[in-house]
Structure formats: C-alpha cells, structure tokens
Amino acid sequence: MRYHKISDETIRRLPVYLRDLLTLSQQRRAGVSSNDLASLLGVNPWQIRKDFSYFGDFGTRGVGYDVENLIRQIRKILRLSTVNKVALVGVGNLGTAVMAYPGFKRYGFEIVAAFDIAPKKIGKHIGDVRIEDITALHTLYRRQIHIAAIAVPRDAAQETAEAVVRAGVKGILNFSPCYITVPKRVKVITIDIAMDLARLPYYLSGN
Amino acid sequence: MRYHKISDETIRRLPVYLRDLLTLSQQRRAGVSSNDLASLLGVNPWQIRKDFSYFGDFGTRGVGYDVENLIRQIRKILRLSTVNKVALVGVGNLGTAVMAYPGFKRYGFEIVAAFDIAPKKIGKHIGDVRIEDITALHTLYRRQIHIAAIAVPRDAAQETAEAVVRAGVKGILNFSPCYITVPKRVKVITIDIAMDLARLPYYLSGN
DNA sequence: CTATGTGAATTTATTCACAGCA
DNA sequence: TGCTGTGAATAAATTCACATAG
C-alpha cells in the first residue's frame, strides 16, 4: 500500500461493498474472495481489489478476505463505526419518509432532532423526536449534531442550507430537488430519486 | 455535431439539466446561457456545452439557449416526451412511498399497475390503482407496460426481477437494496438512498 | 496452486482554448 | 462582441497482467 489520493468513485463504491458484506455476515459467511464479491455486486474483481488496496492490505493471498474484518475496515474508512447524529429539517411528507427509512439506522445514522417552520407541527412528536421550531437550529452546534438532512420545499432549500451551516453543520443530506451553494468546507450530498428515474427510458430499446 | 458514443456520465447529467430548466421555465425565463445554467447547477459551463453538443446544436452563438427548446430536446433524448407506464411490484412501506413520490409524475412516469403477494392487500386500492396478485404479472406485456419498479424485500428481489423480465419488461427501477442479475437487454437502475447517505461522514472534516 | 496487491497500459472523461457564427 | 460548439490536451478511472505471499 502506497499513498494515493482516494477518488470519489472509490468512495461511492465502498458503501455498496459494505451493504453486501453485511448480507454475507447475516448469512454467517466467514470468508469471501474478490471474485465472489464481484459476482454478488455486479462489478469486476480487480476493481474491488484496487479499491481496497488504497486503504491497506485487508486480505490474505491465496485465501481471500475475512468478512467481519472487511466490514470493520470499511466502516472505519467511511466513519460509520460510531453513530452519526442527524437533524432533520422539514417534517413534511418527504421528511417523514426519511425518518422512517430503515437504511438510516442500518448505517449508523440516528435522527436525534427535527425542525419545522409550521407552528402547528411544533411540539408534536415524530417517533421519539420532538419537533422544534426552526429558529432553534442554532442549538445544533452545542448538541454536537454535525449532519443535517434537509427536506424542505425547493424554494426554501438554499436559505435552510445557509441556516444549518451557520449552526455549525459540516455535512448536508439534501433531499430537496435543487443544487444548493455552501462554503466548500461543507459537504453536500443531494439525493433526488427523480434524477435516477429519469434516465431509465433512455436505455430502453435502441441505443 | 459529429457522431459520438454517448457516455453514461452525460446521460446522468441530462436529468439534472432538465430539472433546473423546468424551474427556469416555471419562472417564465426565456433564454439561458451555459454560464447561467452552470452556476445554477454547480457544474462547469463547458461541460454543459459539450454534453449538449453530442446531440445537436441546441444553442445560438452569441445568444445562448432557448429554455423551452432545450427542455423539449432533453425530454426527447431521455425519452420523457411521452408518458412512461410503470408497474409497481411490492406495495409495502417503500412501495407506497414510491407511489406518492411527486418526481414520478413530474418526469412523465405514471404508475398504472400495482402488484403484491399478500392476499389481504390484493383488491385494495392505492390511489386509483387496484392492487393485483403477483401471479398476474404476465399481463404486463399485453398492457404495454415496459417498466417495473421493484420494491420488495431484499430476499425476494432477484426472483421478482426474473418474473418481470419474463413478463416482457425492458427496464427496472430497483428499490430493493441489492444487486439483481438480468439479461443484458434489460436495463436496471438501482436506487438505494443508504448508499448515498453512507458516504457523507467520510467527507466531514479531515480528508 | 490460489487469490491478493499493484505498477503499467489502456480507456474514458474532463478541461481547455479558440475557431466560428449570430 | 458574446456565447456556442468542438478538436486537442490533460486528467482520471478502469483494466490488465503478473509478481508476491500464504
């Protein structure tokens, strides 16, 4: 293992590896080769090996990889070993769906706060979490919440992003269907299912 | 414009362009330059111009692009000009959320059929759509439904995929958190929000 | 003899810089 | 003059092929 700048593409693939490794783990599978993993995942074995090699020597030559160890290593790389506290901003349809989404817990995220602008929602509970007024966002820093999930209408997304950045948030999961501008120290990941849907018809028959 | 093989990356970006062009259109904006679009979108102007150039000369030199024309062109490229009929397979939490998702309609998708395996769900309605028994999947071909959205538990995803392929489906939106194997004439797009979530902590502070 | 780890080769994608047209 | 369209240059990612370790 030498020094390498890790590409975003590699980081994009690691969660996919992790997902299927967790499945193998549930199945009490102890070891796995890059070939096995590759066919489970629909990628190439050498891609997997190279991705891992950027971070260290996780496997044993002639044998393969230890599933539990690999899970531990990937979790460490992705900083998923400890719980990541998340604040949800915008408790509408989308926000409620996000709260209920099982993948949140599975990968170590915990929604520990929820905010909305609508007075009638404030004080109500969603799961165990009490919905707070959006003006209380500034408490995030003190509560050591570094990630915000933004699920507000498109027109409010930019100002909401700015508010959570002011509140000290370092990463944003943007569920609003638009690009948002933030200081470059803050990482935004925009999740817009429609963007994935919309490219399917292109591939149907013909080119 | 010369012949070029269109890259998947370009196709991935087109829906993003479309999304923001639709917003501009709602705002009654008539024209836009690659620079304007680029700053709205958070990408580079030359990237936008090159992506468009693979498909034709959509702009006017010295002026820019006509918003409505660009929308029309991108819709045509992505095959979103006409309604795309979709069958939903698996009417659980996830499936119900998918049905309610507004992006579906916005990009010209219409869920015209729903299937489930649970007897108690069959015959009930979700929206306007009656839930059918999963054994009726073979009717898809006759009904000219070429896209299936699969939202079943992970363990059932592969067999469900095989069933919809047998039913003549040409494209699959896979909402189950796993890779599925299909004949290569069939296009699968897997949507797993957790895969996006899981890479956020990596980017928070430090490398 | 098997399966990893990795430089080198290849392919693919992005960025640049500017010619060309309104 | 302004902005598009695009070859050429650069950068990045993937694939290969094989040395290496168990």
Side-chain angles (χ1 to χ4, degrees), chain B residues 1 34 49 59 61-62 65:
Chain B
M1 182 208 175
S34 57
R49 294 204 300 274
R61 292 173 200 233
Y65 299 93

Side-chain angles (χ1 to χ4, degrees), chain A residues 5-118:
Chain A
K5 192 190 166 298
I6 309 301
S7 81
D8 285 346
E9 289 304 304
T10 293
I11 297 301
R12 173 171 289 131
R13 284 186 293 265
L14 288 181
V16 182
Y17 301 157
L18 178 59
R19 179 182 71 183
D20 286 47
L21 286 164
L22 288 171
T23 305
L24 289 176
S25 171
Q26 281 180 326
Q27 294 164 359
R28 296 276 179 275
R29 177 90 169 261
V32 70
S33 71
S34 57
N35 264 289
D36 297 342
L37 248 190
S39 48
L40 276 173
L41 287 166
V43 301
N44 297 6
W46 48 80
Q47 178 81 83
I48 293 177
R49 293 204 300 274
K50 188 165 271 287
D51 283 340
F52 290 164
S53 79
Y54 295 138
F55 301 99
D57 297 359
F58 298 157
T60 309
R61 291 175 201 231
V63 179
Y65 299 93
D66 177 77
V67 172
E68 296 305 323
N69 180 49
L70 209 41
I71 289 173
R72 205 160 38 238
Q73 297 293 345
I74 297 177
R75 279 212 171 110
K76 195 194 292 180
I77 294 164
L78 293 175
R79 318 267 216 282
L80 298 174
S81 307
T82 55
V83 168
N84 281 287
K85 292 194 281 184
V86 178
L88 173 67
V89 188
V91 191
N93 281 335
L94 186 54
T96 308
V98 167
M99 284 278 309
Y101 179 65
F104 242 101
K105 271 172 260 148
R106 187 172 173 84
Y107 293 91
F109 295 90
E110 196 178 333
I111 298 181
V112 297
F115 298 86
D116 206 289
I117 202 169

